[in-house]
Amino acid sequence: MILVTGGSGFLGGAVVRRLVARGDTVRSLQRQDSCALRELGVDIVQADLADRDAVIKAAKGCDAVIHVAAKAGVWGAYADYFRANVLGTRNVLEACVANSIRRLVYTSTPSVIHAGGDVEGINESAPLATHFETAYPATKAEAERLIIAANGPELGTVALRPHLIWGPDDPQLTTRILARGKAGRLRLVGKGLKLIDSIYIDNAVDAHLLALDRIAPGAVCAGKAYFITQGEPMPQCDLINGILRAGGLPPCDKSISPQAAYAVGFAMEIIWRLLNRQDEPLMTRFVAKQLSTAHWYDISAAKRDLGYEPKISVAEGLQMLEKSLQF
C-alpha cells in the first residue's frame, strides 16, 4: 500500500489517481474528505499532518510514502507554515521509522535555492538559500534538509523540486492567470521576457512515480534532490499568454517595471499587515522578484537517475488545458 499525503490537492490528487490506475493500493492522508477518491477505492484518512499519532497510524501497513502535502502561498504567519511543512514532515519521517517503511518521496520546490536573482540553467549542486522573504520557501527548505538527512540504510529518501505546476483543474497558477486576465488586472513584469520553465501536471506525476519505483536504501537517487521541469525554458509572457489563449482570453499587453512591481508589493504588504488581512495581497516583494527574474534549471540529473522525460510538451499541455476549459 502506498500512503500519499495531500491527496485532496492538485498534485496529490493526480498522483493518487495515477497510482490507482496502474493497480496500486492507495491510502490518502488529507484534511478534507473526497468522494471522488473514495469511489476509486482509495482509503482516505482525514487528519492534520501536525498530529503525530494520526500520521503514524495512517502509515501503518504501508510500503512507501509520497509526501506531497504542504502549506503553499506567499502570505501568512510563519508558525502556520512551520506547523504544516516542517512539523508535518518530521511526523511523516517518524511514521516511516515507526512502521518500518523503506521508501519516501518528498515534494519540495525550486524556491529552496532562490536567493533573489536570476536562476539560469543551474543544477542540484546549487546550495539552499540562506535568506528567504516569505515563509513558504523557508519552511520547505528546512523540510527538505530533514528529508535528505533522514536517508540511510533503513529508509531511502528522495526530494523532487517541480517548478510551476499547471494544467486542467489547477487552482493556483492557471486559475489566477485566468481570473486576473478576465478582470483586466494582469500585468507582465518587465514585459515578461525573462526565461522561465514550468511543468505540466502529468509530467509532474510521472516524475513522482518514477522516483517511487526507484527509491530504496542505497539507490542511486537516495538522499538526493532533483529539479523537475518541462525542460523548455521560454519567455514568461509566452506561458502566460498561452494560458490566456487556452481560456479564450486576449494576450496580456500591459506591463510594469520590476522596480515598480517591487514597490507596489512592499506597499501592499504594509497595508495588509496594518489591516491584519489574512488573504494574499495581489503583489508582494517575493512575487515581484519571482516575476522579474529568470527561473530555469538543468534537469539532466532527473533524466539520468530517475529516467524522467517530459512526455507532454508545453504546446500539447496548452491544447489539453484549452479542451478542459471548454466545458
Side-chain angles (χ1 to χ4, degrees):
M1 179 179 287
I2 311 299
L3 175 65
V4 178
T5 68
S8 59
F10 179 44
L11 175 59
V15 168
V16 168
R17 290 189 293 273
R18 183 79 68 81
L19 287 169
V20 171
R22 76 174 196 174
D24 288 301
T25 303
V26 182
R27 177 178 296 152
S28 178
L29 174 61
Q30 54 194 64
R31 297 177 66 180
Q32 300 176 346
D33 198 4
S34 173
C35 294
L37 292 186
R38 287 190 186 277
E39 290 174 359
L40 292 176
V42 177
D43 179 18
I44 294 179
V45 176
Q46 287 184 254
D48 191 318
L49 277 174
D51 185 338
R52 175 181 176 275
D53 293 340
V55 176
I56 291 175
K57 183 177 179 180
K60 186 175 182 180
C62 293
D63 305 304
V65 177
I66 302 180
H67 178 28
V68 182
K71 178 175 174 57
V74 298
W75 191 253
Y78 181 89
D80 293 337
Y81 285 89
F82 182 91
R83 174 183 171 86
N85 298 341
V86 180
L87 181 57
T89 297
R90 286 177 183 167
N91 290 340
V92 169
L93 288 168
E94 288 195 34
C96 288
V97 173
N99 290 286
S100 300
I101 295 171
R102 294 172 62 80
R103 297 183 291 153
L104 172 59
V105 178
Y106 170 67
T107 308
S108 186
T109 168
S111 297
V112 299
I113 57 91
H114 290 174
D118 290 329
V119 177
E120 300 177 286
I122 66 169
N123 61 27
E124 291 80 4
S125 65
L128 298 181
T130 57
H131 171 73
F132 300 95
E133 289 193 351
T134 189
Y136 172 66
T139 53
K140 290 294 284 185
E142 189 169 349
E144 185 181 292
R145 288 191 189 95
L146 293 174
I147 292 290
I148 300 303
N151 181 70
E154 302 300 324
L155 174 64
T157 66
V158 60
L160 304 183
R161 298 169 175 172
H163 184 53
L164 292 179
I165 307 174
W166 59 277
D169 302 319
D170 165 25
Q172 296 293 330
L173 180 65
T174 305
T175 297
R176 291 185 180 192
I177 288 175
L178 293 176
R180 293 187 183 183
K182 289 178 182 177
R185 296 160 66 182
L186 188 62
R187 299 291 186 275
L188 299 173
V189 178
K191 299 188 182 301
L193 298 179
K194 291 285 188 175
L195 295 184
I196 63 168
D197 209 344
S198 63
I199 185 164
Y200 185 71
I201 180 62
D202 290 10
N203 293 333
V205 174
D206 284 345
H208 281 73
L209 269 60
L210 287 166
L212 174 67
D213 293 341
R214 283 163 176 73
I215 189 61
V220 171
C221 61
K224 297 179 182 178
Y226 294 91
F227 292 117
I228 306 293
T229 72
Q230 290 290 124
E232 292 184 69
M234 61 178 58
Q236 183 189 112
C237 59
D238 287 0
L239 179 61
I240 290 175
N241 286 330
I243 291 174
L244 291 172
R245 184 169 57 252
L249 297 173
C252 179
D253 57 4
K254 297 178 181 179
S255 64
I256 183 174
S257 72
Q259 296 80 4
Y262 190 85
V264 170
F266 184 56
M268 295 193 80
E269 287 180 34
I270 293 175
I271 293 170
W272 255 241
R273 289 194 178 96
L274 289 174
L275 297 178
N276 196 29
R277 291 183 58 164
Q278 302 303 307
D279 59 318
E280 290 188 1
L282 294 176
M283 180 62 71
T284 67
R285 288 173 293 172
F286 175 76
V287 171
K289 283 188 175 182
Q290 292 287 299
L291 294 176
S292 61
T293 53
H295 298 96
W296 60 278
Y297 311 87
D298 179 354
I299 60 171
S300 58
K303 291 182 176 182
R304 180 189 67 237
D305 295 349
L306 303 179
Y308 170 71
E309 288 288 346
K311 296 178 181 177
I312 299 174
S313 68
V314 171
E316 291 168 334
L318 289 172
Q319 290 176 353
M320 295 178 184
L321 177 62
E322 182 175 4
K323 290 181 180 178
S324 73
L325 294 172
Q326 291 175 347
F327 298 98

